[in-house]
Amino acid sequence: MLVEVAAPRFKPYTRLTIQQAPQWAAMPTHLQEAVLVVSRVLPFRTNQYVMDELINWDNVPDDPIYRLTFPHEDMLAPEDYALLRDLVLVKQDEVAIEREVRRLRLGMNPHPAGQMTHNVPSIDGVPLRGLQHKYKETVLFFPSAGQTCHAYCTFCFRWPQFVGMDDLKFDAKESNELVSYLKLHPEVTDVLITGGDPLIMSTRALAGYLEPLLAPELAHIQNIRIGTKSVSYWPHRFVTDKDADELLQLFRKVVDAGKNLSVMGHYNHPAELRPAIAQRAVKRIVGSGATLRMQAPLIRHINEDPAGWAELWTTGVRLGAIPYYMFVERDTGPSHYFRLPLAKAYETFQAAYQQVSGLARTVRGPSMSAFPGKVAIDGIVTIGGEKVFALQFLQARNPDWARRPFYAKFDPEATWLDDLVPAFGEVRFFFETEEEEPHRVIPIAAPRVHAHAATAGDGAGDMDTMSTGT
């Protein structure tokens, strides 16, 4: 007699409930304190699958998935952490806590340059809330029902979406304005449904956003992308959730309508793809006719090992997924904790790339989603006696810049495009005007704010990423 095993139910943990998790009592006091203090500034949410299946508790705090999902003391400057710890754990002064938390958040470059000022489209001069249009072919759509995740990544570049900074939040209540905008822009071929995580929604809710895109008037929309971390943090969404079968039927409906449906899966570490349930989720997605593309940023403390990237890409290819991007960590949030020098990023990418077959070499990177576009580091070379970074735009605000090579002086400490200066004695890069050049100058920082966190960059305007990696 077969005994039917009940499908697991999703159980999240937040700052307010994490002490109910079985693993909490075994955590050292200083790690517990870090969670309670830092989660006042940055979003914190995990779930029982991440805690039970992905984190190796014998290796905490150095376990990469623990560092990926749990806040750490070093995400704040020492003096900031000490002050906030005193307010939270000793004085318990909520008014003072909120004042200090807001100061810290505003000093973390909560929306890198371009999101609020350059990427928001409009109709008849009226800005469209919850839409972004940076590259001519692609529009981002942020459905309000998808502005959370099954778990939050500690490096998330869309962290303001989750901490109550409503004046800096992107969300759209319904898809009417999206459809109206797309009808006016036949040059748009791609729509990226992003967040948060759209797959936090029920299938019925998701269908309300996807099905209008199948209308005959939108025949120019060829590709629909869904940015998601659920493939890692809750693969049951595609396998055992009560509407998992309906979700895959929705995918088939989109594909049968003649569209390409791409699930932009965010995998930060091979541990996320090792469980049987995670591999089954990949098979089911691919079996629906959708494509699954793998992408993630390179993050210090989490995925610096080239062998890990090679395992991730190789496993993905075996299951039918497509390696897509290795990104450079953005200059927002606790970027001082996670960022790596661009030289290190290139070396890691090259070492991983050398370990995989041609089928996995669809991956591109390391790529910076900066203000002018996606900039890939193609190499570190010596030309005319000068050591330089060889760079190119994979995507750009100005389409004429795409695939145009350019060079920057080699800087072993540079971590972002804004840190680089042109090679060969040039005054500015070809994509900079005389007025725009100062964006590479680090501005004067507010008290106790990391200077790098205040520099310009891109943000949610990137066309292929989301909060979790997204």
Side-chain angles (χ1 to χ4, degrees):
M1 177 179 176
L2 294 175
V3 178
E4 191 170 308
V5 179
R9 296 185 62 183
F10 177 73
K11 183 176 182 180
Y13 292 106
T14 67
R15 174 175 62 85
L16 300 177
T17 61
I18 186 59
Q19 297 181 54
Q20 301 171 11
Q23 294 89 345
W24 179 261
M27 290 173 59
T29 301
H30 70 282
L31 295 183
Q32 293 178 342
E33 288 185 352
V35 172
L36 297 177
V37 173
V38 181
S39 64
R40 287 298 191 114
V41 180
L42 299 167
F44 170 58
R45 175 181 167 97
T46 187
N47 66 64
Q48 84 283 5
Y49 171 76
V50 172
M51 297 185 70
D52 294 347
E53 302 296 332
L54 299 185
I55 295 175
N56 177 3
W57 290 95
D58 292 332
N59 193 34
V60 167
D62 294 326
D63 176 78
I65 307 303
Y66 179 84
R67 289 192 179 272
L68 178 62
T69 54
F70 276 75
H72 309 282
E73 177 179 342
D74 291 344
M75 290 178 182
L76 301 180
E79 60 271 28
D80 292 332
Y81 182 84
L83 175 58
L84 189 59
R85 180 190 179 281
D86 183 61
L87 290 174
V88 171
L89 301 180
V90 180
K91 297 179 180 178
Q92 300 182 12
D93 183 340
E94 288 299 325
V95 173
I97 290 171
E98 287 303 312
R99 182 169 58 247
E100 178 65 9
V101 163
R102 180 164 180 82
R103 184 188 72 82
L104 292 172
R105 287 174 177 169
L106 292 178
M108 288 184 169
N109 194 21
H111 271 304
Q115 292 191 121
M116 305 293 288
T117 58
H118 291 74
N119 300 342
V120 178
S122 61
I123 295 179
D124 296 330
V126 179
L128 302 179
R129 181 181 175 93
L131 272 71
Q132 290 195 10
H133 192 181
K134 178 178 178 181
Y135 308 131
K136 73 172 186 177
E137 303 91 352
T138 309
V139 165
L140 270 71
F141 181 62
F142 297 73
S144 58
Q147 297 312 305
T148 187
C149 299
H150 292 95
Y152 293 145
C153 295
T154 44
F155 68 82
C156 179
F157 77 94
R158 288 193 186 142
W159 58 271
Q161 296 279 97
F162 315 125
V163 295
M165 300 178 76
D166 292 341
D167 54 332
L168 296 176
K169 189 173 183 179
F170 293 97
D171 62 347
K173 302 298 183 184
E174 52 191 40
S175 61
N176 293 349
E177 288 185 338
L178 170 65
V179 171
S180 297
Y181 183 77
L182 294 176
K183 287 179 179 178
L184 296 173
H185 291 272
E187 76 278 10
V188 175
T189 59
D190 291 43
V191 174
L192 170 60
I193 314 295
T194 186
D197 193 330
L199 292 183
I200 202 79
M201 292 189 283
S202 69
T203 299
R204 182 176 180 180
L206 180 63
Y209 293 111
L210 293 185
E211 290 177 346
L213 302 179
L214 309 182
E217 312 92 275
L218 298 181
H220 57 286
I221 303 301
Q222 302 171 20
N223 307 300
I224 298 173
R225 313 181 197 181
I226 302 175
T228 184
K229 184 70 180 178
S230 61
V231 289
S232 299
Y233 285 163
W234 189 246
H236 308 75
R237 183 71 190 88
F238 308 94
V239 182
T240 61
D241 275 8
K242 63 181 181 180
D243 63 345
D245 289 344
E246 288 82 357
L247 177 63
L248 298 175
Q249 289 170 8
L250 176 61
F251 288 179
R252 293 188 188 96
K253 182 175 183 178
V254 174
V255 173
D256 289 345
K259 311 290 186 183
N260 169 56
L261 178 65
S262 289
V263 176
M264 316 304 291
H266 293 257
Y267 294 96
N268 294 97
H269 192 276
E272 298 169 317
L273 198 50
R274 289 170 188 158
I277 185 74
Q279 297 195 12
R280 190 177 173 194
V282 175
K283 286 289 190 181
R284 296 203 82 197
I285 293 169
V286 174
S288 73
T291 58
L292 173 60
R293 295 178 183 268
M294 309 171 70
Q295 58 186 23
L298 174 63
I299 303 292
R300 188 160 61 98
H301 304 299
I302 293 172
N303 54 16
E304 299 172 72
D305 182 9
W309 286 94
E311 178 190 341
L312 179 63
W313 297 336
T314 300
T315 304
V317 167
R318 176 173 59 81
L319 297 170
I322 303 169
Y324 191 48
Y325 267 115
M326 176 196 282
F327 289 107
V328 174
E329 167 62 356
R330 299 183 187 224
D331 55 344
T332 183
S335 61
H336 68 282
Y337 181 80
F338 290 119
R339 67 190 179 213
L340 285 164
L342 298 179
K344 171 68 173 177
Y346 175 72
E347 291 168 2
T348 302
F349 180 84
Q350 183 184 40
Y353 197 83
Q354 291 172 349
Q355 298 179 46
V356 299
S357 76
L359 291 177
R361 292 185 178 182
T362 52
V363 67
R364 296 179 288 182
S367 172
M368 294 175 278
S369 293
F371 179 84
K374 283 196 186 74
V375 177
I377 305 168
D378 278 344
I380 300 171
V381 296
T382 299
I383 301 176
E386 182 175 347
K387 190 175 183 180
V388 298
F389 285 112
L391 309 165
Q392 68 159 305
F393 279 103
L394 299 176
Q395 183 64 281
R397 290 184 183 274
N398 183 340
D400 291 338
W401 299 346
R403 301 292 295 184
R404 180 172 172 180
F406 64 103
Y407 300 91
K409 288 184 178 180
F410 179 78
D411 180 349
E413 303 301 322
T415 60
W416 194 249
L417 180 65
D418 297 353
D419 299 333
L420 300 178
V421 296
F424 314 130
E426 295 293 328
V427 176
R428 61 185 64 88
F429 292 117
F430 75 89
F431 52 87
E432 293 177 319
T433 65
E434 191 170 353
E435 291 74 25
E436 291 170 332
E437 185 187 347
H439 87 274
R440 287 190 281 108
V441 179
I442 297 176
I444 297 174
R448 291 205 301 270
V449 175
H450 297 282
H452 189 277
T455 60
D458 184 27
D462 178 64
M463 296 297 107
D464 295 315
T465 57
M466 60 174 286
S467 61
T468 55
T470 273

